[in-house]
Amino acid sequence: MPSIRIMTDSTADLSPELLQAHGVRVVPLLVQFGEETYHDGVDMDTGRLFQMVTERNQLPKTASPGPGLFRSHFEEATADGSQVLYISISAKFSAALQNARIAAADFPGQVHVFDSRNLSTGIGLQVLHACDLVRQGKSVEEILADLETYQAGVRSSFVVDTMEYLHKGGRCSGVAALVGTLLKIRPVISVVDGGMIVAAKVRGPRKKALDWMLERFAEDAAQGRVRPERVFVTSPDSPHEDAPYMVAEIRRILPEVQEVLVTRAGAVIGSHCGPGTIGILYATR
């Protein structure tokens, strides 16, 4: 039986250490400032991104690489006869899935493309779960069937600290951004059905918004729904000042959790959420 290689894109926000440990290959998405194009996680990270946004007073555009680049990644990964499972950012957020499928058509039965219907480490959870299944000796068909169920249980929520990026990115009006700032309203963004929704608008100290997310986690944990293998705390900031509090609370709520992984979001995700954002991402059953 040929080996199975798991591949994803840079929006999965997995650390270099995790990628290396699990043998995951990454296709970088693109960040564009005017005529300048950068590769997420290669020559652009969130530190540089936020500095450029401040200096230029504009947000970059983000884009998927074309089918040709996906094809070259697939060619390299399948050269020894291996099968490839590419787990993509949600089709509602990027053309990556569509472009990957176009490229995969040149590798019938060898390259398989799966829509995570998520973003950031909401994708990362599915990628690492697929790696677990590969180690268990599952076939590609078995992994795809399992991921369909696993995917539906992934919970991804983020507290957005500043409304500036949402405003500049056209995701809220100037009035809404101003009112939100003046009233200290902190939106909690969640991923539902492959898209983003405002799950809550928490007014007051930042900790109230963090606790809102942790309360949802605690509700799932109390019902025995949280899968204990791993929970992610993800932010475009490194380190994020609230990460230790989030990790400690997660371990208090779910003592049997095997790993609480703190990761840094990449430039594509950071360009949409802005600095200060922090999220909790986990899988339920």
Side-chain angles (χ1 to χ4, degrees):
M1 180 182 295
S3 63
I4 301 170
R5 291 202 167 107
I6 303 300
M7 186 178 293
T8 188
D9 55 64
S10 57
T11 62
D13 292 339
L14 295 172
S15 68
E17 294 78 13
L18 283 171
L19 295 171
Q20 183 175 6
H22 293 272
V24 177
R25 299 184 176 214
V26 174
V27 180
L29 267 61
L30 307 178
V31 178
Q32 300 169 327
F33 277 97
E35 299 299 315
E36 305 166 19
T37 298
Y38 301 91
H39 297 82
D40 186 16
V42 179
D43 52 11
M44 177 62 70
D45 61 19
T46 48
R48 185 178 185 188
L49 171 82
F50 295 150
Q51 182 180 356
M52 292 177 71
V53 169
T54 298
E55 292 172 350
R56 304 186 184 196
N57 195 33
Q58 69 176 42
L59 283 181
K61 294 181 180 180
T62 58
S64 165
L69 183 60
F70 278 103
R71 192 173 293 110
S72 66
H73 279 277
F74 295 157
E75 284 176 352
E76 180 182 351
T78 59
D80 63 355
S82 294
Q83 291 184 290
V84 168
L85 172 54
Y86 168 69
I87 301 175
S88 170
I89 184 174
S90 174
K92 292 186 179 180
F93 300 139
S94 171
L97 182 83
Q98 178 183 357
N99 291 341
R101 282 179 172 163
I102 292 171
D106 292 337
F107 305 85
Q110 197 171 13
V111 174
H112 310 266
V113 177
F114 183 78
D115 185 353
S116 74
R117 295 177 61 79
N118 221 294
L119 49 71
S120 189
T121 43
I123 309 169
L125 283 162
Q126 297 176 55
V127 169
L128 297 188
H129 182 64
C131 291
D132 293 341
L133 296 175
V134 170
R135 284 191 292 272
Q136 293 170 22
K138 303 293 186 182
S139 68
V140 167
E141 292 74 21
E142 288 172 324
I143 295 170
L144 286 168
D146 191 295
L147 280 175
E148 288 288 351
T149 301
Y150 185 91
Q151 172 199 83
V154 174
R155 303 286 181 259
S156 304
S157 295
F158 294 86
V159 171
V160 178
D161 192 56
T162 173
M163 302 188 77
E164 177 185 5
Y165 279 60
L166 295 174
H167 171 48
K168 286 182 178 179
R171 291 169 178 80
C172 73
S173 70
V175 171
L178 177 62
V179 171
T181 300
L182 291 175
L183 296 179
K184 294 185 178 179
I185 294 175
R186 305 180 191 277
V188 179
I189 308 298
S190 294
V191 177
V192 176
D193 294 331
M196 288 189 294
I197 66 165
V198 178
K201 296 179 181 178
V202 183
R203 183 175 177 180
R206 177 181 176 81
K207 184 174 178 294
K208 287 183 63 177
L210 302 180
D211 288 341
W212 187 93
M213 293 192 299
L214 289 166
E215 286 165 9
R216 308 287 85 72
F217 176 73
E219 289 171 2
D220 281 331
Q223 297 174 22
R225 290 172 48 81
V226 178
R227 290 178 179 255
E229 294 85 9
R230 54 186 68 94
V231 175
F232 279 98
V233 174
T234 301
S235 168
D237 304 294
S238 181
H240 193 288
E241 61 181 2
D242 292 322
Y245 171 72
M246 296 286 287
V247 171
E249 286 297 291
I250 289 166
R251 291 198 176 279
R252 180 186 65 79
I253 293 166
L254 190 68
E256 62 268 33
V257 66
Q258 295 169 23
E259 289 185 298
V260 182
L261 300 165
V262 179
T263 64
R264 186 179 187 181
V268 168
I269 297 298
S271 70
H272 295 289
C273 65
T277 298
I278 191 167
I280 177 173
L281 306 97
Y282 59 97
T284 63
R285 53 195 168 194

